[in-house]
Amino acid sequence: MWDSIEERLHRQAELFPQDKIYLHRDKESYVAGERIWLRPYLVSAMTHRPMDASRYVYVELIAPDNEVVDRVRLRNIEGQCSGYVDIPANLPQGDYFLRAYTAFMQNLDEGYFYRDRVFISAPGSAALDISPQFEYSGNRLAARITVESNGGHSSRPGADAVKFFYGQKEVPLVRNDGDSLFRFEIRNVDDEPEVIKVHYGSFRKYFNVTSREGIYDVSFYPEGGNLVPGKVCRVGFKALYTDGSPAEVDGKGSEVSRLKTHHNGMGAFTLECTAGAEYKVECTDAEGNVRVFHMPVAVEGAVSLKVDRFADSLAVALVASDGRSRQGHYLAAHCRGDLLFVGSFDDTDIFLFPQESFPPGRNPLYGGGRGP
């Protein structure tokens, strides 16, 4: 079995080599009109050694509204290359991203791409200060923008002087009692704009939109990937506000379990569920906002893995629904494709490993089988 699995892992690495990129640049922040000097390092995701299977590395400068500002193609020679991205002189001020990838990496999820934040300031930002305030009313978002020079003299922009953009679309300006008031309607609360762009004379700047208070989402991650009916399962969860910041919540799940975040919006709880039953979790954040979320459904015949950490060891157990035999199931552990362990659950339902059995980092554990 070991030889078969190891052969398949190496065969997969040969047929579908996975790249990993680190992008080094000359400094942390820039001014519009400058040049970003780059040196990407391309290595094998399996061995972390330089590789040249990919001829080119593509680097993109991405605006806060996800528009690609520029894209360059750099020639890869033995895992190294260098180049630059020119920043347009009229680029709005804001937090941008550098994204790097190869043609091979486009076959995978974008989560495998290199991505890093870079701040770019506008030349006119030192002479003018524009401060936005955002207010929600029903399904509408009102933005009030105050313009002030660095000399301390406040001024209100004229109706024709300010342009307000969401994506590529200009949003009409509504004036109210002499103040500068911009309004646009949010059609779906789960699809809020993350940034808006303001044009005032030669000044250009992106603003992050304040998230709607009390709107957060909770995602659930059953250990091993499945909820096994009739068994006590551990479920991890993560609570985030719409701006990506962690939400501290506590709640109860259909009166059969309770949960509470432990760190940065994350936590775990245990649950014994019935096949096909629907479970809901009622969560409350620190401000008292209550939301209800649905749990994944337990499927009859599901199989999963459970890992318990002790002082000097790890215990990995097979969790199968009642009536599901453990015969024909096995456990495989690897680190970046390097096989570390293969064992059968035919004669045992738990494996015990010393902590030093696995190298630092992520070591995926896979359970599979030929059983019914």
Side-chain angles (χ1 to χ4, degrees):
M1 183 184 298
W2 179 291
D3 293 339
S4 175
I5 296 177
E6 188 173 37
E7 181 182 351
R8 292 183 183 185
L9 287 172
H10 284 287
R11 183 64 173 163
Q12 178 177 331
E14 291 175 359
L15 295 176
F16 307 102
Q18 185 176 335
D19 299 335
K20 182 180 288 187
I21 295 178
Y22 174 76
L23 192 63
H24 180 75
R25 64 178 189 264
D26 58 330
K27 55 183 181 178
E28 292 297 317
S29 59
Y30 300 86
V31 176
E34 289 189 325
R35 174 173 289 179
I36 304 175
W37 288 98
L38 308 165
R39 180 179 289 276
Y41 295 90
L42 179 62
V43 299
S44 165
M46 182 174 181
T47 64
H48 284 182
R49 295 177 180 174
M51 63 184 301
D52 54 7
S54 296
R55 296 187 63 188
Y56 297 100
V57 172
Y58 300 88
V59 180
E60 296 173 338
L61 179 62
I62 302 176
D65 58 3
N66 292 322
E67 178 185 358
V68 177
V69 177
D70 194 13
R71 178 188 294 110
V72 296
R73 186 178 69 169
L74 307 179
R75 181 70 169 92
N76 172 46
I77 302 177
E78 296 182 352
Q80 296 188 27
C81 51
S82 60
Y84 59 85
V85 173
D86 283 327
I87 305 173
N90 62 345
L91 202 66
Q93 178 172 303
D95 288 318
Y96 290 73
F97 289 92
L98 283 171
R99 182 170 64 185
Y101 57 91
T102 65
F104 277 127
M105 295 172 69
Q106 288 183 297
N107 296 318
L108 304 172
D109 185 87
E110 285 191 12
Y112 290 91
F113 292 7
Y114 176 89
R115 185 179 175 94
D116 193 23
R117 187 187 303 269
V118 55
F119 177 73
I120 298 176
S121 62
S125 60
L128 197 65
D129 181 28
I130 299 182
S131 302
Q133 292 180 336
F134 301 104
E135 295 180 358
Y136 288 92
S137 176
N139 64 343
R140 291 180 177 272
L141 171 65
R144 188 186 302 272
I145 296 179
T146 303
V147 178
E148 226 176 78
S149 67
N150 277 340
H153 304 291
S154 62
S155 60
R156 293 188 175 93
D160 298 330
V162 175
K163 294 184 183 299
F164 184 67
F165 293 86
Y166 170 49
Q168 300 300 315
K169 184 178 180 181
E170 182 177 353
V171 181
L173 168 65
V174 178
R175 295 186 61 82
N176 183 16
D177 298 332
D179 291 331
S180 301
L181 187 63
F182 302 82
R183 296 183 185 274
F184 63 93
E185 184 173 317
I186 301 174
R187 297 180 180 178
N188 190 329
V189 72
D190 295 324
D191 189 30
E192 296 183 12
E194 296 181 357
V195 294
I196 58 173
K197 183 167 56 176
V198 175
H199 288 196
Y200 181 64
S202 61
F203 184 87
R204 305 284 189 273
K205 186 173 182 179
Y206 283 101
F207 294 98
N208 293 323
V209 176
T210 304
S211 62
R212 182 189 290 264
E213 293 184 2
I215 300 301
Y216 56 91
D217 185 64
V218 179
S219 302
F220 300 96
Y221 307 96
E223 184 177 22
N226 298 310
L227 285 177
V228 181
K231 305 295 181 181
V232 177
C233 299
R234 185 183 295 122
V235 182
F237 68 93
K238 188 171 187 178
L240 294 174
Y241 287 107
T242 53
D243 62 357
S245 60
E248 302 302 321
V249 303
D250 57 31
K252 55 187 178 181
S254 300
E255 300 295 339
V256 297
S257 184
R258 299 195 67 88
L259 62 88
K260 184 176 179 62
T261 51
H262 301 299
H263 175 70
N264 278 346
M266 296 179 288
F269 62 97
T270 57
L271 174 69
E272 182 177 353
C273 51
T274 304
E278 294 187 2
Y279 293 88
K280 295 183 293 185
V281 179
E282 182 182 290
C283 295
T284 307
D285 70 355
E287 303 299 323
N289 300 297
V290 179
R291 299 201 71 191
V292 177
F293 303 92
H294 290 271
M295 289 278 297
V297 177
V299 180
E300 190 68 53
V303 176
S304 185
L305 292 176
K306 181 181 180 181
V307 179
D308 289 303
R309 183 187 297 271
F310 301 102
D312 56 356
S313 62
L314 291 174
V316 183
L318 179 71
V319 181
S321 55
D322 294 336
R324 182 69 182 267
S325 173
R326 69 168 183 261
Q327 300 298 311
H329 290 83
Y330 58 87
L331 174 70
H334 74 88
C335 179
R336 302 192 306 270
D338 183 17
L339 194 60
L340 303 175
F341 174 83
V342 174
S344 173
F345 282 110
D346 286 353
D347 300 319
T348 182
D349 58 1
I350 188 169
F351 289 98
L352 195 64
F353 300 97
Q355 290 274 14
E356 60 270 17
S357 298
F358 302 106
R362 295 179 59 191
N363 297 277
L365 300 173
Y366 294 100
R370 304 177 299 276

